[in-house]
Structures are given as C-alpha cells and as structure tokens.
Amino acid sequence: MSNEVRVRYAPSPTGHLHIGNARTALFNYLFARNQNGKFIIRIEDTDQKRNIEGGEQSQLQYLKWLGIEWDESIDVGGEYGPYRQSERNHIYAKYTEELLEKGLAYKCYCTEEELEKEREEQSANGQMPRYSEKCRNLTMEEQEKLASEGRQPSIRFRVPKGQVIKFNDIVKDEVSFESDGIGDFVIVKKDGTPTYNYAVAIDDHLMKMTHVLRGDDHISNTPKQIMIYEALGWEPPIFGHMTLIVNESRRKLSKRDESIIQFIEQYKDLGYLPEAIFNFITMLGWSPVGEDELFSKEEFIKIFDPERLSKSPALFDTQKLVWMNNQYMKKLDLDKVVELSLPHLVKAGKIEENLDEEQQAWVRDLIALYQEQMSYGAEIVELTDMFFKKEIEYNHEARQVLDEEQVPEVLAGFANEVEAMEEFTADNIKAAIKAVQKSTGHKGKKLFMPIRVATTGETHGPELPQSIALLGKDTVLARLQSVVS
C-alpha cells in the first residue's frame, strides 16, 4: 500500500448532491488535505438505468460550490484513470478471467425467475434469502448444456466456507462477519456489467486508495470487498464507516423526509453561504477538541482527525444550521449580502429586475437594515414584507399596544413632526421622536412602541429611525393617519 494517503469520493450519477454524500466527500477531502495526500473523485456509473441526466455535473458543480477541490477525476485527469467506471470494463474483464481460472468465481446460469422462486421458498421457511449455490460445482458439460439453451450466465464469487472476515474500522473498531452468512454473490451481471462490490474493490486497489471513509450503510459491503481483495492477493485499505445522520425524531435521514432540506443545490438557491454549509456538515458526526463550533476551511484542514469521528448518530439540527449561517452572514461584506438577497426580492415580485440608481440605493439600505438578523438570502422576502404592503393588518399584540391611552397623543405629535420635515432621513426621524418625548412627556416603550407598531405593523424589528426612513414619508403619514383616525 502507498505511503501517501489517497482517498476518494465515488458518487453514482443517480441524483443531485445530498447532505449525506456531501459529508462523505468533505471528510475524505479534509483527511487528504490534513495528511498532504490526494483526494480523488471517481464516478460509479455502472447502473445505467438509474443514472439521471445532469447527475454527474451536479455532483461536481456543488462540490466546487462548497469549496472542495480534487486532485484526480474525470475533469482533471490523473495517472490512474479512467475515472468513470463505465469506461473501465476492459480492466474488470481481466480480473474476472483470473478469478474464473483459479476457481475463485464461477458461471451461474440461473434465471431471474428461478432465483426469485428460491428466495420466496427460503422466506416461507423462515430462512434468510441467499443463493442456493445451484451452479457452484457445474461440470463443463453441464455448463455447455445450459449455454446451448440460450442462457446467459452471470459470474458469482465463490465465498469461502467457515471463515470469519475481520477488519479494524476507524469508527467502529473491530468488525467481523461470518462468510457462511453471505452466500456466493454476483460480481458480473448477465449483460457483462460488473456489480458495485466487485468494481469498487478493483478500482480502490488500482487507484491505490489507502483509506475508505464512507457511510454506515456500506458496512455490509465491506466483507465482500475484502474477499475480492484477498482472492486477488491484494492488501485491503483501512476502512472507516461514518454513523447515520438522523432527523430531530432520531430517525435515519430519508430523501423522502420533507421536514429537512437535503440537497446542496437547494441551500445555494435559498441563499445560504457555502462556508457555513461546509462548517455545518463537517460537524455532522465529527467533533473538534474544545467547544468552538465555527471554523474556516483552512482551520478544519489543520485540525481534522478521523479518530474523532462520532460513534453515535449525527443529529441534523436545522436551527443550528440557521444560526450558523447567520453568524457568517453578519460578517459578510454588504455587497455579497445584497447579491445573495436581491434575486429573491425580484423573484417574489417585490422589486423590478432593472433598477435605477436611486432604487438600487434604497434596496441596498433595506438589505443592510436586516443583515444582522438575516439567516439566508431568501429570508429577506419575509423580513421586509412591511415595506411592500399598502395596508397593515395589526395582530393581537400590536392592537394591545395601539389601545394604550397615550397612543393618540404620541402618534399625533409624531405625525406633526413628520409633516414638517423637509428631509426625511433617519437622523431627522430620531430627532422628531425626541421632540415628541419632550412635548408629551412620554418616553421608553410608551413612546417608541406605538410609533413602531403604527408605522411598521410590528412590535419588534431593526433600528426604528432607519426603518421609518426607508418606508418613505408618504407611507408613514398614511399609516399614522389610519391609526389616529
């Protein structure tokens, strides 16, 4: 095995980049960079029926968006290509012949109907369905007879009897499987396509993978892959199987679970920041030393240690993600915040796509007003709703404020100040509120709350003078008038 750490992320182009797959890619990437090793992306596209158009491109596009770079793949090349499994059939064929010649694999002529009947009978008898080994010891004459019937064979691996397959897992420590519980498995389908466990073992060896970090759902595949390694006289890599990601109900994260946004593309479209998503995903099932939760990519690379992968399921905490993205949004350059938020206001029909200089300045100030509390770009639509309403419907809490006895006096005084204002600016509005305090004697919540509720319709919000200034003089006077009258 190579002294240089070599790891891979090997997606199937059967869908878009999912949170779970992104985590696998991230952990492998961070480990490779931490060890000054190589991170490889290999496309496992042998299941042509399930591949979707654009699936391969989507994987690479959104890995790049997250900030992940790779050393070898379909787009950058490398000395161990091809990096698409569908282009490596000639390689697998060579090893299939070797296994057949050594008697470590054999041709199976069973039809799908025969195999299904076998499985049904085993299930009915309370047995775990597995291949009956019907074709395991066919003579050459028997094989020729079955072939003459037009039967196309698959190739099965001859699983050794009575063995225990053991390996030390980075996450799970020692793991063992009994070979008698596995059954002879197909390594090449009837159409000549290699199966996953066969192709991945050959690829990982030939591409000199030293470590295989992947999800817990692959652990039952590992003994099959180890047997392929051993049959071909190869040393297996070091395995690490990351625990499941679970939702807040502690159930395995399912792509059908609509309570959680699960695809990286969706987060990008909502205006989340790649740095925050990178940070959040890295903390799903891995923890640093100490209590800190916010790290840059460079810091993660420096501190990443696979020994700190969690042995317990990783909780996908949506509120934690929202909080984390907000921490990044607060520190972001305003131009970038505007770039993330503006398309959502356009899409919602709140503003036109082509703005003049004055409108651009207004929208910029509006977004700046909410930068501190905004968690992601699309949230700007809901946060700024009051600026695009002609009429306000006051909720129960707002009505309670407006029913207080001092309200008419405060709002009438503020309306007079606004009416007399030549320049409708935040500074002048602040001065006007102080003038109302002086003339009415009301202060604190008795003063600010009625003005906030009457003008914005809300009991909480960003800086009041700035909010009122952005609403505009005519809108503010109309809202004050509707409450006072």
Side-chain angles (χ1 to χ4, degrees):
M1 193 182 290
S2 169
N3 289 326
E4 177 187 58
V5 165
R6 287 178 60 83
V7 293
R8 48 72 170 180
Y9 168 59
S12 300
T14 55
H16 300 291
L17 184 60
H18 182 260
I19 285 284
N21 293 337
R23 182 183 71 162
T24 298
L26 266 176
F27 286 171
N28 279 283
Y29 166 75
L30 290 171
F31 181 49
R33 292 292 176 264
N34 174 270
Q35 296 292 312
N36 295 313
K38 293 288 194 298
F39 174 58
I40 294 92
I41 292 183
R42 183 176 71 229
I43 304 297
E44 297 186 345
D45 61 344
T46 54
D47 193 348
Q48 296 291 326
K49 291 178 183 175
R50 293 183 60 229
N51 294 345
I52 66 165
E53 188 177 348
E56 188 179 283
Q57 180 191 358
S58 172
Q59 291 280 335
L60 299 183
Q61 178 184 347
Y62 290 101
L63 287 172
K64 284 178 182 173
W65 179 76
L66 279 173
I68 297 175
E69 318 96 26
W70 44 91
D71 303 294
E72 300 167 28
S73 190
I74 56 172
D75 56 340
V76 296
E79 60 181 304
Y80 299 101
Y83 291 93
R84 261 189 210 95
Q85 280 189 340
S86 59
E87 297 170 7
R88 297 173 63 82
N89 282 340
H90 62 290
I91 297 171
Y92 309 130
K94 169 189 165 186
Y95 292 103
T96 303
E97 283 305 312
E98 181 180 334
L99 291 173
L100 285 169
E101 286 172 12
K102 290 179 176 178
L104 299 174
Y106 60 91
K107 293 179 180 180
C108 172
Y109 291 89
C110 295
T111 65
E112 277 305 314
E113 292 75 21
E114 289 169 340
L115 293 170
E116 181 59 32
K117 186 180 178 184
E118 245 183 34
R119 287 191 287 267
E120 287 175 358
E121 288 174 356
Q122 288 170 338
S123 294
N125 294 330
Q127 297 171 299
M128 181 71 73
R130 49 171 284 188
Y131 180 55
S132 66
E133 303 178 359
K134 186 177 177 182
C135 296
R136 195 176 219 251
N137 297 306
L138 292 177
T139 64
M140 189 58 69
E141 290 77 15
E142 288 171 325
Q143 290 185 47
E144 288 171 358
K145 182 178 182 299
L146 291 166
S148 69
E149 295 174 8
R151 294 189 181 220
Q152 194 70 27
S154 59
I155 310 295
R156 286 186 182 272
F157 183 79
R158 194 184 296 274
V159 174
K161 303 285 186 183
Q163 287 194 7
V164 176
I165 298 102
K166 291 183 181 179
F167 61 95
N168 284 310
D169 191 279
I170 293 172
V171 180
K172 299 179 176 296
D173 301 324
E174 187 176 281
V175 181
S176 64
F177 291 85
E178 293 183 2
S179 65
D180 291 349
I182 295 172
D184 295 351
F185 56 94
V186 174
I187 57 174
V188 181
K189 299 174 188 175
K190 293 180 188 296
D191 63 2
T193 305
T195 58
Y196 168 77
N197 283 309
Y198 185 49
V200 78
I202 293 172
D203 289 343
D204 283 346
H205 172 74
L206 296 181
M207 293 181 182
K208 299 190 183 301
M209 298 302 159
T210 58
H211 299 72
V212 172
L213 304 181
R214 56 189 178 188
D216 188 72
D217 52 333
H218 280 285
I219 198 155
S220 61
N221 292 322
T222 307
K224 295 178 181 178
Q225 292 165 21
I226 288 174
M227 284 190 280
I228 297 292
Y229 266 87
E230 291 177 347
L232 292 167
W234 299 337
E235 182 185 350
I238 296 167
F239 292 97
H241 291 88
M242 298 166 281
T243 55
L244 299 172
I245 301 174
V246 296
N247 62 19
E248 289 175 6
S249 301
R250 303 286 170 177
R251 292 178 181 166
K252 178 185 174 183
L253 201 61
S254 161
K255 291 178 183 178
R256 293 183 294 277
D257 184 352
E258 295 181 0
S259 67
I260 292 174
I261 298 168
Q262 298 195 35
F263 293 94
I264 302 302
E265 181 178 356
Q266 293 172 291
Y267 285 104
K268 179 180 183 293
D269 290 346
L270 282 169
Y272 277 80
L273 295 168
E275 300 87 352
I277 300 293
F278 189 109
N279 194 149
F280 176 77
I281 294 175
T282 304
M283 303 289 274
L284 280 175
W286 180 86
S287 60
V289 176
E291 300 298 320
D292 291 342
E293 295 183 293
L294 300 176
F295 298 91
S296 67
K297 179 170 75 172
E298 292 70 28
E299 288 170 330
F300 273 126
I301 288 171
K302 188 176 180 181
I303 64 176
F304 188 81
D305 177 1
E307 297 290 338
R308 295 194 63 79
L309 287 168
S310 173
K311 297 180 188 298
S312 304
L315 175 65
F316 191 102
D317 185 340
T318 302
Q319 292 306 311
K320 182 75 157 288
L321 172 56
V322 168
W323 169 82
M324 193 171 281
N325 206 74
N326 173 252
Q327 302 308 302
Y328 282 83
M329 288 286 275
K330 286 177 182 177
K331 298 174 183 176
L332 199 62
D333 180 78
L334 179 57
D335 287 339
K336 182 65 178 173
V337 179
V338 172
E339 185 184 321
L340 281 170
S341 309
L342 190 57
H344 297 285
L345 290 171
V346 173
K347 185 180 177 182
K350 303 294 186 183
I351 58 171
E352 298 293 326
E353 192 164 358
N354 298 310
L355 304 175
D356 61 32
E357 205 170 303
E358 185 179 342
Q359 290 169 324
Q360 286 178 18
W362 181 83
V363 170
R364 182 181 169 84
D365 289 343
L366 179 66
I367 292 170
L369 189 64
Y370 287 94
Q371 180 174 355
E372 279 290 308
Q373 67 186 95
M374 201 191 315
S375 296
Y376 52 93
E379 199 175 27
I380 195 68
V381 176
E382 184 181 345
L383 289 172
T384 60
D385 189 47
M386 70 170 178
F387 290 91
F388 302 99
K389 283 183 175 178
K390 288 190 176 179
E391 294 182 5
I392 296 177
E393 290 184 16
Y394 298 101
N395 62 24
H396 178 68
E397 189 181 3
R399 280 286 170 203
Q400 283 186 312
V401 171
L402 295 178
D403 286 342
E404 292 176 7
E405 60 180 352
Q406 85 287 2
V407 170
E409 183 184 11
V410 168
L411 295 186
F414 185 61
N416 290 335
E417 292 289 337
V418 169
E419 189 79 61
M421 212 177 287
E422 290 184 12
E423 290 186 34
F424 199 65
T425 65
D427 286 342
N428 287 343
I429 291 163
K430 192 173 182 179
I433 294 172
K434 283 188 177 179
V436 174
Q437 178 183 335
K438 190 173 181 180
S439 65
T440 64
H442 299 297
K443 59 185 179 179
K445 281 189 175 182
K446 295 287 185 183
L447 172 67
F448 291 103
M449 196 63 92
I451 294 173
R452 179 180 288 282
V453 170
T455 56
T456 70
E458 299 173 354
T459 53
H460 308 281
E463 288 293 326
L464 185 57
Q466 284 88 334
S467 298
I468 291 173
L470 286 168
L471 281 166
K473 187 172 181 178
D474 292 344
T475 298
V476 168
L477 284 173
R479 290 181 179 181
L480 289 170
Q481 186 62 37
S482 70
V483 175
V484 171
S485 61

